[in-house]
Amino acid sequence: MSDHNDKLKQLKTSSMDRRLSIAKASLLAGTRWAASNATTMFSSEEEKEKKRKKAMKEQADYLVSEIGKLKGSIVKIGQMMALYGEHFLPEEITQALNTLNNQTVALAWPAIKQQLHSQLGSKLDDLTIDHEPLGTASLAQVHRATRKSDGLEMVLKIQYPGVAEAIDSDMSLFKNMLKLTRMVPQTREFDQWFDEVREMMHREVNYKIEAATTRRFAARLKEDPRYIVPQIIDGYCTDQVLCMTFERGVPINSPVMLSLPQERRNKLGEASLEIAVREIFEWGEMQTDPNFGNYLVRLGNGNDILDKIVLLDFGAIRQFDEHLLGVARKLIHAGFNHSSEEMVQAMTGYEFFDSIPQSIKPDMAKVFLLATEAFSSPSNNPDLPAGVMDEHFAYDWKTSQLHSRVMQQASKSMASRYFSVPPKEFMFISRKFIGAYTFMTVIEAKTNVRAMVKKFI
């Protein structure tokens, strides 16, 4: 595995193999940890902290390199932990886990062909399939294909064999690994969070659900010329193969995006944010993985042909109950009015909020008011930094540096200790908005969020 251009010949799925390599990694990591703690008995506090951080980083890097040698659900679990873990994992660990994304190695064509054959049988003869994958992920890889009869361009998302069966044992492995390292608070919230990730994993390998969700979103957006959702092609879908139309576009972070006129970038930003707003106010379900790879932009011509957002991946969908949606809407409403009182009032009726002492809530409200800054207006928000919002309520995402300001405010306020492991639903919603905010920042959009929310409020 020295060369990353090597393709894997086969998957290390036999659970015994995997158990051994991971158990070995955790134990080694655990003993390093103990050793580093022993040597710090006589150092100053500052010295201890430095050593502890260094040991934790080494340990996390080591665990991640071991996980990276495997494929399948253990990697995906690691990626989810990286995505949501900034709320409760030490920074050293999330940073290490974040590198998992770049370590996914493709599975060589013969192994993929075998999987396709077992799934599609003689239907394979209808298709010409590219042997080089368009993309690889931890649970599947994507190949382009053309239907011989009519030249229709498609993509096949092919699930790695054995991945779905390994989820439960991989989950307990990962959990034990984190327990052994003693790096994470073992709380009831932590256990609930793990169950949630397990459920997400199972949904993610269920292509029937993904096909149905893709169709639902396509139906919701079909009248709106600003969006494209791929069409599912049933004839080539099975439990482990998902087939849909191939949709062209450029990645969000491609340099060509920044060369577009400001106005066009603003419109794209608004279109992407509007989906997040409609998910909360209208549809009650959310695409929870705000990964840039899930979007492309099909460029128009600046005149009669609009730029469109291509929405690609509907594997990570989370339905929210009316109760939680009600709370989320109230929080956004309070942000719209930029009212601390309203924000404190919105923080009730949900177990997590009700467990927080009333005296702490104003401090926590500050964090939420800052996070919803883009929904406020210069007339009701005296704390808006200069130049962040113009007279048309367009909010300048790049200038605002919102994410880092929110993080600072959270660590300053008393909120941080009540957020040791926040409720899972909050992680989804905050992650979704962080994803949307990052999208805006990357394309340097200025968007009027107030207008979007106004119609629901």
Side-chain angles (χ1 to χ4, degrees):
M1 284 287 303
S2 54
D3 181 5
H4 273 284
N5 300 330
D6 290 350
K7 289 204 171 64
L8 287 176
K9 299 284 183 291
Q10 79 214 36
L11 291 182
K12 232 186 189 182
T13 46
S14 109
S15 50
M16 224 27 237
D17 271 1
R18 304 170 66 104
R19 281 223 177 88
L20 283 169
S21 49
I22 294 182
K24 192 183 71 193
S26 319
L27 284 170
L28 259 169
T31 49
R32 287 185 190 182
W33 191 244
S36 78
N37 274 343
T39 56
T40 56
M41 273 173 62
F42 305 105
S43 333
S44 71
E45 278 310 306
E46 210 170 302
E47 206 37 37
K48 270 188 192 161
E49 187 52 25
K50 245 210 213 104
K51 279 199 173 142
R52 207 179 61 80
K53 275 189 144 47
K54 183 170 178 284
M56 193 185 281
K57 185 181 179 327
E58 279 171 14
Q59 180 173 2
D61 288 344
Y62 178 69
L63 285 177
V64 162
S65 70
E66 283 293 304
I67 294 171
K69 291 175 192 164
L70 302 166
K71 207 164 178 54
S73 67
I74 194 97
V75 178
K76 182 73 187 186
I77 296 163
Q79 288 166 345
M80 283 191 183
M81 288 291 155
L83 189 59
Y84 297 101
E86 70 176 357
H87 296 295
F88 62 88
L89 291 172
E91 196 182 2
E92 293 77 11
I93 299 180
T94 30
Q95 278 171 353
L97 287 171
N98 260 319
T99 63
L100 273 173
N101 256 349
N102 323 326
Q103 295 185 7
T104 351
V105 187
L107 195 53
W109 175 248
I112 285 289
K113 188 178 177 184
Q114 197 181 349
Q115 169 70 334
L116 275 170
H117 216 275
S118 74
Q119 294 291 309
L120 292 173
S122 63
K123 286 186 180 176
L124 269 188
D125 302 338
D126 307 350
L127 310 174
T128 310
I129 302 172
D130 276 5
H131 293 191
E132 276 301 313
L134 262 185
T136 61
S138 42
L139 304 176
Q141 66 193 44
V142 176
H143 287 255
R144 269 184 73 172
T146 313
R147 187 159 58 191
K148 292 172 185 169
S149 59
D150 60 359
L152 180 69
E153 293 187 292
M154 312 187 284
V155 291
L156 298 167
K157 181 173 171 181
I158 304 148
Q159 195 175 112
Y160 295 127
V163 156
E165 296 72 27
I167 289 176
D168 289 332
S169 64
D170 281 352
M171 283 301 303
S172 30
L173 260 176
F174 204 96
K175 195 171 180 179
N176 292 336
M177 197 160 80
L178 282 177
K179 273 192 175 150
L180 275 171
T181 57
R182 306 197 184 84
M183 298 189 209
V184 182
Q186 302 294 325
T187 57
R188 195 185 53 153
E189 284 83 6
F190 182 69
D191 290 338
Q192 286 175 343
W193 168 240
F194 246 86
D195 291 340
E196 182 66 37
V197 172
R198 180 193 315 272
E199 226 169 278
M200 276 159 71
M201 295 291 300
H202 281 292
R203 278 201 297 268
E204 189 124 344
V205 294
N206 186 328
Y207 286 179
K208 295 256 184 319
I209 293 182
E210 185 171 344
T213 311
T214 308
R215 287 201 180 92
R216 250 194 333 277
F217 273 78
R220 282 169 186 156
L221 297 169
K222 73 169 186 290
E223 301 302 323
D224 196 323
R226 297 171 300 166
Y227 306 100
I228 295 168
V229 178
Q231 261 177 301
I232 301 286
I233 300 162
D234 271 328
Y236 305 99
C237 288
T238 68
D239 285 347
Q240 294 183 1
V241 175
L242 188 62
C243 177
M244 58 193 110
T245 51
F246 172 71
E247 302 294 346
R248 287 187 162 69
V250 297
I252 289 165
N253 49 3
S254 96
V256 68
M257 290 300 296
L258 285 179
S259 66
L260 294 178
Q262 184 70 48
E263 195 38 47
R264 284 170 68 183
R265 279 181 284 134
N266 295 351
K267 284 206 160 72
L268 282 166
E270 278 173 8
S272 82
L273 252 185
E274 195 171 302
I275 288 204
V277 170
R278 290 184 72 185
E279 284 175 334
I280 288 183
F281 284 95
E282 228 177 296
W283 303 332
E285 63 175 348
M286 189 173 257
Q287 205 294 26
T288 52
D289 178 3
N291 173 351
F292 282 174
N294 294 343
Y295 305 94
L296 292 171
V297 174
R298 185 171 304 169
L299 296 172
N301 59 6
N303 300 318
D304 51 331
I305 302 174
L306 280 177
D307 301 316
K308 299 173 193 289
I309 293 184
V310 185
L311 301 167
L312 288 180
D313 186 328
F314 294 94
I317 281 285
R318 181 75 169 59
Q319 263 100 17
F320 292 118
D321 61 53
E322 270 310 307
H323 180 60
L324 175 77
L325 289 166
V327 175
R329 289 165 190 155
K330 279 189 184 135
L331 295 171
I332 290 175
H333 201 221
F336 184 86
N337 294 332
H338 198 73
S339 155
S340 179
E341 268 151 64
E342 237 182 277
M343 195 59 93
V344 169
Q345 270 171 340
M347 295 183 192
T348 50
Y350 201 73
E351 185 190 357
F352 166 68
F353 282 140
D354 296 341
S355 65
I356 296 169
Q358 206 53 36
S359 58
I360 304 291
K361 285 188 177 172
D363 251 352
M364 207 180 253
K366 279 189 190 139
V367 180
F368 287 1
L369 284 171
L370 186 57
T372 51
E373 176 178 272
F375 297 87
S376 70
S377 77
S379 60
N380 69 20
N381 184 354
D383 307 319
L384 262 178
V388 161
M389 192 180 275
D390 69 13
E391 66 282 10
H392 308 297
F393 303 121
Y395 186 80
D396 184 334
W397 292 95
K398 190 174 185 326
T399 310
S400 80
Q401 302 274 314
L402 190 61
H403 186 207
S404 58
R405 283 165 53 223
V406 171
M407 287 313 219
Q408 273 169 345
Q409 179 70 50
S411 60
K412 264 206 314 249
S413 90
M414 290 290 288
S416 50
R417 65 162 211 234
Y418 289 95
F419 270 122
S420 64
V421 181
K424 49 195 192 302
E425 295 84 356
F426 274 92
M427 293 201 229
F428 290 130
I429 293 178
S430 84
R431 201 56 247 185
K432 176 74 180 195
F433 278 95
I434 291 169
Y437 293 178
T438 313
F439 184 122
M440 302 304 123
T441 311
V442 166
I443 65 172
E444 298 184 14
K446 299 175 182 173
T447 59
N448 181 341
V449 198
R450 270 182 87 74
M452 243 173 262
V453 181
K454 205 173 204 143
K455 49 177 175 267
F456 299 110
I457 289 178

